[in-house]
Amino acid sequence: MNDVEMEKVIRRAIEEDIGSGDITTDNIIEEHNNGIGVVVAKEEAVVAGLKVAEKVFDEIDSELKFERKKDDGDVVKRGDVAATVTGEIRSILKAERLALNFLQRMSGIATKTRRYVEEVQGYDVRIVDTRKTTPTLRALEKWSVRIGGGHNHRMGLYDAVLIKDNHIESAGSIGEAVERVKGKIPHTAKIEVEVESIDDMKEALNSGVDVIMLDNMSLEDMKRSVDILEEEDEDDVMIEASGGITLKNVQRVAETGVDVISVGALTHQIGSVDIGLDLEF
Amino acid sequence: MNDVEMEKVIRRAIEEDIGSGDITTDNIIEEHNNGIGVVVAKEEAVVAGLKVAEKVFDEIDSELKFERKKDDGDVVKRGDVAATVTGEIRSILKAERLALNFLQRMSGIATKTRRYVEEVQGYDVRIVDTRKTTPTLRALEKWSVRIGGGHNHRMGLYDAVLIKDNHIESAGSIGEAVERVKGKIPHTAKIEVEVESIDDMKEALNSGVDVIMLDNMSLEDMKRSVDILEEEDEDDVMIEASGGITLKNVQRVAETGVDVISVGALTHQIGSVDIGLDLEF
Amino acid sequence: MNDVEMEKVIRRAIEEDIGSGDITTDNIIEEHNNGIGVVVAKEEAVVAGLKVAEKVFDEIDSELKFERKKDDGDVVKRGDVAATVTGEIRSILKAERLALNFLQRMSGIATKTRRYVEEVQGYDVRIVDTRKTTPTLRALEKWSVRIGGGHNHRMGLYDAVLIKDNHIESAGSIGEAVERVKGKIPHTAKIEVEVESIDDMKEALNSGVDVIMLDNMSLEDMKRSVDILEEEDEDDVMIEASGGITLKNVQRVAETGVDVISVGALTHQIGSVDIGLDLEF
Amino acid sequence: MNDVEMEKVIRRAIEEDIGSGDITTDNIIEEHNNGIGVVVAKEEAVVAGLKVAEKVFDEIDSELKFERKKDDGDVVKRGDVAATVTGEIRSILKAERLALNFLQRMSGIATKTRRYVEEVQGYDVRIVDTRKTTPTLRALEKWSVRIGGGHNHRMGLYDAVLIKDNHIESAGSIGEAVERVKGKIPHTAKIEVEVESIDDMKEALNSGVDVIMLDNMSLEDMKRSVDILEEEDEDDVMIEASGGITLKNVQRVAETGVDVISVGALTHQIGSVDIGLDLEF
Amino acid sequence: MNDVEMEKVIRRAIEEDIGSGDITTDNIIEEHNNGIGVVVAKEEAVVAGLKVAEKVFDEIDSELKFERKKDDGDVVKRGDVAATVTGEIRSILKAERLALNFLQRMSGIATKTRRYVEEVQGYDVRIVDTRKTTPTLRALEKWSVRIGGGHNHRMGLYDAVLIKDNHIESAGSIGEAVERVKGKIPHTAKIEVEVESIDDMKEALNSGVDVIMLDNMSLEDMKRSVDILEEEDEDDVMIEASGGITLKNVQRVAETGVDVISVGALTHQIGSVDIGLDLEF
Amino acid sequence: MNDVEMEKVIRRAIEEDIGSGDITTDNIIEEHNNGIGVVVAKEEAVVAGLKVAEKVFDEIDSELKFERKKDDGDVVKRGDVAATVTGEIRSILKAERLALNFLQRMSGIATKTRRYVEEVQGYDVRIVDTRKTTPTLRALEKWSVRIGGGHNHRMGLYDAVLIKDNHIESAGSIGEAVERVKGKIPHTAKIEVEVESIDDMKEALNSGVDVIMLDNMSLEDMKRSVDILEEEDEDDVMIEASGGITLKNVQRVAETGVDVISVGALTHQIGSVDIGLDLEF
């Protein structure tokens, strides 16, 4: 996510929450009243979003001083201090909920990602996200996946080709679909095809694609696909497993030897991590 | 959510996903190739977001014809058709993921809300959301809560007063905090105070607030608070229970006689509902 | 008004006035030529908008040094210095008109508000504004009302219910209109009803509304309404007088004992206060 | 004002007023309930802003049918119908206040302008506005002046040169200031100089400017300036009177023979015209 | 370029050109005066931008009827009609310059691209653009390149890796730079390295990159690089020639057998094509 | 160009280029690695855009220190250092291409303008641009023309009248067209008419216009037009030559005595100047 976009998202969020004014804080807390806000983990998690939180406080009041005690990607335990913010209590209170909303969601994604990554430790495989992200916040969510140790799939419809069943049906065959796209896209873009059978997998391989996504295949067929790749000596082609991957089966999927496992749940089942802000006067 | 804002959110989301172009669809699917996209529930849910999905398709291609088969708030079962969209396949495919992302998240919130609402059926109590929403998408999420049968808490810091522990500590007492705010805010705005003990609850009551939020209180103390209100004949004051409410305990909370139960999890633990789009050529 | 919005308004205003460039100043005044701009009141007024003016100068040239000599809400007399701004003459001249346009209008509203407030001094009543504000600048104008000692009515259609004649006619009765709205809105939002007769006032009272607006009622009926409230011991309900209120009759309205007097003229008859900027080389 | 800008202003105004939703109308008025809104003048005025009002209704609900009964610039009497709008009552009520706010302010400016124009009828002189406009709404206000029969002064700092006292002081002399600017600006831009004495007026004339603004001069000096122009046979140069012009003295100023009279009050003392919307069910 | 972005660019351009109004056309051409604007080529060219021009006319006046006589990518000769637009003369005149500015520039890029493409006809090589585009208009320019028969290089810094000399120097070696990036980027993104010698080319090849850019290499070294690729049987790796490519030498570069030739001049030396609009009353 | 607009253009350009992130630099270059970027001319040119480049670096990373070694408008020779930028290598690399794209194009325009200006040195004539600019970047391009020693024609349709053939045909005659516009436009705006014959030139002169544009006239007719002006003693009216002006004939056009020569090619045939950035570690 570029900084211009991050600033825009944060400023929109401030307008959303504060609107015509914080009628509680502005009328109760006096000016020039300083304090320290302590950002504390209330449960174990991979912390993510500290840079965003820092920017939230800065946009609300550029006089606030934010100090990171942890870095994005660090594991925090219940009670650990992730950061402190010092300055006007008014400003800290206005920014609190927004900063936490970013932190909790981003940490939620990073923490879940970390679990998947740990589950496949030792295997030469990467856990990746999908396009099933919250509309307008994809960059933040894909950043959280990276913080959690995962990798990103393509960012959108623009940076890589992913040929799915409807494209294939419309073109007539996998080969024809690949053919149509090959001569048009930037030579710097890869082509991935989603297949549902071994036969299709072979056809994709022969069409010269870069990545083959095995959609909802059995573990046996995954293994078989990996074997075919080896037999054909196509070590430049990557195999991606997709569909129905959970924490329970991800290791078995990794065992099949696939290169990439994509997990929609990383971003479409967001469990906010409990992180709070304690104010010291 | 006003229509101008809805359009802005959708257009940002389109730019995010399509960027410099859908290099797969634009290069494979030919123009003037029509089909029907069928929006199907893959699991039981309260459907929400059909108006947003309709607008997504319309923004991508104003020639697409969207027909609702269900209304926002309807319960759909696995296999139920929620809507159909007819027109250029190119356009349907480009809009698919984005429309589904909105539908799945909004339906996820509505479905979870419905579960809480059903749990307290028969009690004169409302289930409400919090400010723990996804930054920049609060209006959509609060709309989903209403679709699910829940109610909204305040929309932001601007439309109602909510005095919390830090405000009280800064003012010196609940009475002083209420006093400061009372003379300043619009006469159309209500004042709510968050309390953690029966004593504080009484002080809040005497300060003349409109709503008292019982934060993480025991069921006994909730009941006691309701009784005090009745004893004092303060039927204009509302009692809100908050903190640690789950599907497991929400009914017991309702039994205490509180007027409002606020549940952060409605929006900060978002489980996307599985809704798909089947394309018919 | 939140700071993000204030910055946006000011930046739009700068683009409007400077456009492709200040072809007079840029071509005549040399760079690195410093001076002092003195913001002087040319007539007695309540000054308002100094924070906005400061931001205007800062956006034009962040090197300019703005010093407040008065605070928003202070009464200034002809000749009083409200602020000074030091730095490049080029920058001061480019910002001059825009800073003054904000100051003059905001001070105009604050000054008029102050007159109404003084007129009802000694009565337990608040002077409030309406939604008759300049489109897109409501937050600035409602802020000016507060600076002048007045209070705000609801900020828009979103933060409080105001049931008017057309709503009542559409619903069938006041009671039915209130009923429809009560179960839907946030429990933190108040309900106000506009009535034109004592009978309607009574119906509103029985419907359990929070505020009753007496629209264009006689002084006698206003008094009668206040009495009814007392008789019914409904001290939680507020009475608002509205319609045709002027500086001439506002005191008599206050005498009736109403709680709130809303005055559209505060913002829809804007008399700019004469404030100038004298440049010292 | 270009249409893109008009749409942007209106959409911002809708977001300002409706925000997260019109909680009164949305909860009381049922869908598919049609009516007619009749825009009626409550006092005599020059109507202005009908195109803007039409666009407001269209942006709120493109199904609404707006019919003009009067044109911008027409004089309406109390009771005259300026326009009607037919369609969903919900939509009409949501748009009402905003449409009226535009109409009332723009008509206020047009009506005041018309009074000045009528006052100088028969004289070969134009009434013009200034840059003392409401920040961000200048185009709308200058449009209102034209509708009222007045003319516009320059639109901003970018489209014409106006050399004022501070520019002259900084340059050293009128001649030097004109010299500096002449070689730099587009050959399509005019140069105006503000002078405070007959001597300065002569110097400006000799410097080859296009327009001379007489700032706060006596009627005698204005007349003298006009005479000098005639004596010098400089009929291409225009004389503009400025400063302290009111309805009371504008005719006498016109008598002096000046070409242009600029009146800041056209836009900085805005009296909204009373225009209402009556709803027929 | 997605449609939302195209609309935004056009609307900004309209505001830029029309600003506070077209003071010539609005004051001379009467309303309801219809005519036909004929878009005519004044020289031979590949026409590009007709979709953009159509949208310009539509944004200025949605009543205008635009009819394409040629398609983007067609070759037009002097005198050929590319399109006609029918409707209000006022609207046609306001849109004319802007529509032509888009058409002329886009056609300029497409025409130049076509020349390069024709020059290498018969060779299995693609002509691609670079990031040397006009800031904020890259999508339009890269679209023009495609219309002219060329291909796009990466769209920006986000969709493909391009390791240049400074990256290599900072990492220590090509191998190390590739290593750092390989494990981090989406598996759908390709890696390209810019090399300046045969040795570096070999190192890049061994590092497992997808594309090797030969920067300012001699024809001999280009040929040598192609040979090495064949010797190593690395037919999945592409060779891109870059630097100093002109119409004069592009064929000789193609002869070396490289896969891609990137030409900065396609977009950074823009010769507008002469296309005019003739108005028929 | 005002600073707000400049910042907006640059921020849009950053989003365009960096998008979801610079996946090369972010993954290869380590943080806290400083260097110096040296902006060097690779060919002789008039440098323009240094202020824009400085702002680009500042927006990417406000810690970067930019030092100008040349000023906008200076002539640089191959090898001359125009500026240096010191700080994080990551930031310098991210900003490099964008800063150069601005510099190269603006310098291209300034350099071409300078050639025209030098060609007519000694003549009392100004070289001006047209509206044939890159959509949305007109202010930058017209600024470049001024830096190159040229002058600007009107900025858009809003700041001066330019009556062309279609306006004349629609009005019936030059005189009628001028008449219609004269009474409507600001008195600060000039009127220019485009004529194609001596007869039309005389009619324009008699209509009292400020500038006469000779469109594609022969050198003899240009001379004749200048003579007529002198004969009529109309030294306030300016003559502008337009159409088919090239570096080859511009001097002969100047010799005819016209006041202004407009050259579309200044901005519609943009040759980027070769300026590079050398990084020192």
Side-chain angles (χ1 to χ4, degrees), chain B residues 126 128 151-154 158-160 182-190 192 210-211 236 238 240 260, chain C residues 126 128 151-154 158-160 182-190 192 210-211 236 238 240 260:
Chain B
R126 45 168 72 184
V128 307
H151 287 77
N152 295 327
H153 207 296
R154 61 174 178 167
Y158 52 86
D159 63 327
K182 226 174 203 172
K184 300 284 188 53
I185 58 167
H187 63 285
T188 52
K190 284 191 177 170
E192 176 164 2
D210 300 290
V211 188
D236 283 344
M238 299 179 90
E240 172 181 341
V260 179
Chain C
R126 45 168 75 185
V128 307
H151 287 77
N152 294 328
H153 207 297
R154 62 174 179 167
Y158 53 86
D159 62 327
K182 226 176 203 171
K184 301 284 188 52
I185 59 167
H187 64 286
T188 52
K190 283 191 177 172
E192 176 164 4
D210 300 290
V211 188
D236 282 344
M238 298 179 91
E240 173 181 341
V260 178

Side-chain angles (χ1 to χ4, degrees), chain B residues 37-183:
Chain B
V38 184
V39 178
V40 188
K42 308 290 189 187
E43 61 175 312
E44 186 171 323
V46 176
V47 71
L50 286 168
K51 282 189 190 163
V52 182
E54 179 172 7
K55 182 77 177 159
V56 168
F57 286 110
D58 183 60
E59 284 288 331
I60 290 285
D61 178 353
S62 61
E63 304 285 309
L64 291 178
K65 192 154 158 276
F66 186 90
E67 261 184 278
R68 279 185 235 171
K69 303 300 186 187
K70 299 287 178 184
D71 280 320
D72 278 344
D74 283 357
V75 174
V76 290
K77 299 215 191 76
R78 183 182 159 82
D80 279 358
V81 172
T84 60
V85 56
T86 313
E88 285 232 13
I89 291 176
R90 274 184 165 215
S91 306
I92 297 174
L93 287 181
K94 272 185 213 177
E96 176 187 2
R97 182 75 262 138
L98 181 52
L100 291 179
N101 279 351
F102 277 116
L103 273 175
Q104 293 177 341
R105 269 138 222 278
M106 290 184 68
S107 299
I109 293 173
T111 303
K112 178 181 282 186
T113 303
R114 180 67 56 94
R115 274 190 214 122
Y116 277 87
V117 170
E118 284 171 350
E119 202 64 29
V120 301
Q121 212 161 9
Y123 296 92
D124 185 19
V125 67
R126 45 168 72 184
I127 299 295
V128 307
D129 50 32
T130 64
R131 278 171 56 237
K132 295 178 182 175
T133 54
T134 309
T136 75
L137 297 175
R138 180 174 291 166
L140 277 182
E141 296 186 349
K142 291 205 160 226
W143 184 11
S144 307
V145 166
R146 292 198 303 275
I147 291 172
H151 287 77
N152 295 327
H153 207 296
R154 61 174 178 167
M155 304 308 289
L157 297 168
Y158 52 86
D159 63 327
V161 171
L162 180 41
I163 299 173
K164 300 195 175 187
D165 52 354
N166 290 317
H167 298 109
I168 296 167
E169 178 154 354
S170 181
S173 71
I174 290 178
E176 172 61 17
V178 173
E179 200 53 42
R180 285 190 191 174
V181 96
K182 226 174 203 172

